[in-house]
Amino acid sequence: MQRSGQVSATSLPIGSDADLAWVRQEVRQCAAGLGFGLVQQTKLVTAASELARNTLVHGGGGRVEITPLDNGRSRGLRMSFIDDGPGIRDLELAMTDGYTTGGGLGLGLSGAKRLVHEFSVDTEPGRGTTVTAVAWVTQVPASRPGL
Amino acid sequence: MSQPLPAHSAQVPVLALGDVLLVSLQGELHDGMAEQLQQDITQRISTDRMTGVVIDISGVDMVDSFLGRVLAEIASTARLLAARTVLAGMRPAVAITLVELGLTLPGLVTALDVDRAMELLNQRGS
Ligand SMILES: Nc1ncnc2c1ncn2[C@@H]1O[C@H](COP(=O)(O)OP(=O)(O)O)[C@@H](O)[C@H]1O
Ligand SMILES: [Mg+2]
């Protein structure tokens, strides 16, 4: 059975590039507090920065919900980036390295996915996008398929 | 509070050491500031006739694809203005993360620290 262990979920607005800095700082502090090592913290903060920028630039702004997790064996962090922007028409294409509709490098979605343990996108054209990323504190570096 | 809040991040110090510009990035860099920095560096290369740029990122705890692209663009623009760029002092955790993100910055010359970056520019200049 999974205890969700939601001690304190934090919700932050994403409406400007100053907000992106706040999101990074909050994720860094939360991850450090949960016992994530430096490399994992850096991966989480980088994934958060990519996904929050997508919420801002492609989604027209929104918010992030940051939730500490505890499944009984390890602690983790869930970040959900939520907007009610245009949505993603072709998710498979959007998840391709290098694909961008906005003049970026096209590494945000695909790269963020590689930086965390669980990754999901819930999107519908015209209704918005929610991207959820979860990482767990690992003692030994996790080996993941595709690496 | 001793740490500056992200909303009031400090200006980026840009120093001239001879004909080399030393840029020290620290802490939180807003997207807008990164773009401003790109313009400032380019301007100073051309008006002050700089032949090299060292970007010290030892104080930077995260490089995402936006900042990575700004750094790569600074280097390409400098190259067009006959100046060489060396990225100095990347933290190991940042390097590991960048590779996993898929951003290997192939066009960027790197050095472990500012001293080595300056050496590199001097060597290649002679
Ligand atoms: N929150 C979002 N809302 C709408 N479209 C999005 C969102 N996030 C990503 N996308 C789409 O997916 C594409 C790929 O995203 P990403 O990999 O981050 O690359 P980039 O942001 O550099 O374009 C974007 O160009 C955009 O078309
Ligand atoms: Mg992106």
Side-chain angles (χ1 to χ4, degrees):
Chain A
M1 204 178 71
Q2 271 212 356
R3 284 181 289 132
S4 56
Q6 301 192 0
V7 190
S8 55
T10 308
S11 181
L12 295 175
I14 300 173
S16 69
D17 64 356
D19 289 341
L20 300 186
W22 285 109
V23 170
R24 288 192 289 262
Q25 179 167 303
E26 180 67 28
V27 169
R28 169 80 65 181
Q29 273 171 8
C30 195
L34 285 163
F36 281 96
L38 184 59
V39 171
Q40 273 199 303
Q41 283 177 35
T42 306
K43 289 181 182 185
L44 271 169
V45 173
T46 307
S49 189
E50 294 293 344
L51 298 173
R53 182 173 292 102
N54 282 353
T55 300
L56 178 67
V57 173
H58 304 300
R63 69 181 200 278
V64 60
E65 280 171 11
I66 301 166
T67 313
L69 306 173
D70 188 340
N71 66 5
R73 276 172 297 123
S74 47
R75 301 215 270 177
L77 186 66
R78 181 172 65 224
M79 317 183 282
S80 289
F81 299 84
I82 304 157
D83 67 65
D84 49 13
I88 304 175
R89 210 161 286 280
D90 187 337
L91 185 57
E92 205 185 325
L93 192 57
M95 291 294 304
T96 310
D97 271 354
Y99 176 80
T100 177
T101 56
L105 290 180
L107 289 173
L109 280 179
S110 52
K113 182 180 181 184
R114 285 190 289 267
L115 292 173
V116 298
H117 296 124
E118 297 159 31
F119 189 86
S120 64
V121 182
D122 181 8
T123 186
E124 202 181 314
R127 309 208 69 166
T129 301
T130 296
V131 179
T132 300
V134 175
W136 300 97
V137 176
T138 53
Q139 303 315 333
V140 252
S143 70
R144 298 196 291 293
L147 284 177
Chain B
M1 255 167 74
S2 60
Q3 216 186 334
L5 298 172
H8 316 112
S9 298
Q11 292 286 306
V12 177
V14 180
L15 292 174
L17 300 173
D19 56 1
V20 174
L21 272 187
L22 174 59
V23 184
S24 302
L25 300 190
Q26 242 135 27
E28 275 295 349
L29 201 65
H30 294 183
D31 293 4
M33 285 170 54
E35 280 168 342
Q36 183 62 48
L37 180 70
Q38 190 175 352
Q39 286 176 29
D40 292 350
I41 293 175
T42 308
Q43 192 62 47
R44 290 198 55 182
I45 292 171
S46 106
T47 54
D48 304 345
R49 312 209 165 260
M50 294 292 165
T51 63
V53 180
V54 174
I55 305 176
D56 179 8
I57 58 164
S58 60
V60 171
D61 60 18
M62 182 233 50
V63 176
D64 61 10
S65 67
F66 182 88
L67 184 53
R69 183 171 68 156
V70 168
L71 295 173
E73 284 180 3
I74 289 173
S76 335
T77 313
R79 193 176 306 125
L80 291 176
L81 298 171
R84 291 166 319 204
T85 302
V86 181
L87 192 63
M90 183 182 292
R91 296 182 183 184
V94 171
I96 291 168
T97 301
L98 270 181
V99 168
E100 207 153 313
L101 186 66
L103 194 66
T104 49
L105 301 171
L108 269 178
V109 177
T110 58
L112 281 178
D113 54 38
V114 171
D115 286 348
R116 288 182 170 94
M118 298 300 276
E119 263 169 41
L120 210 60
L121 286 175
N122 290 333
Q123 273 169 23
R124 299 211 318 183
S126 58

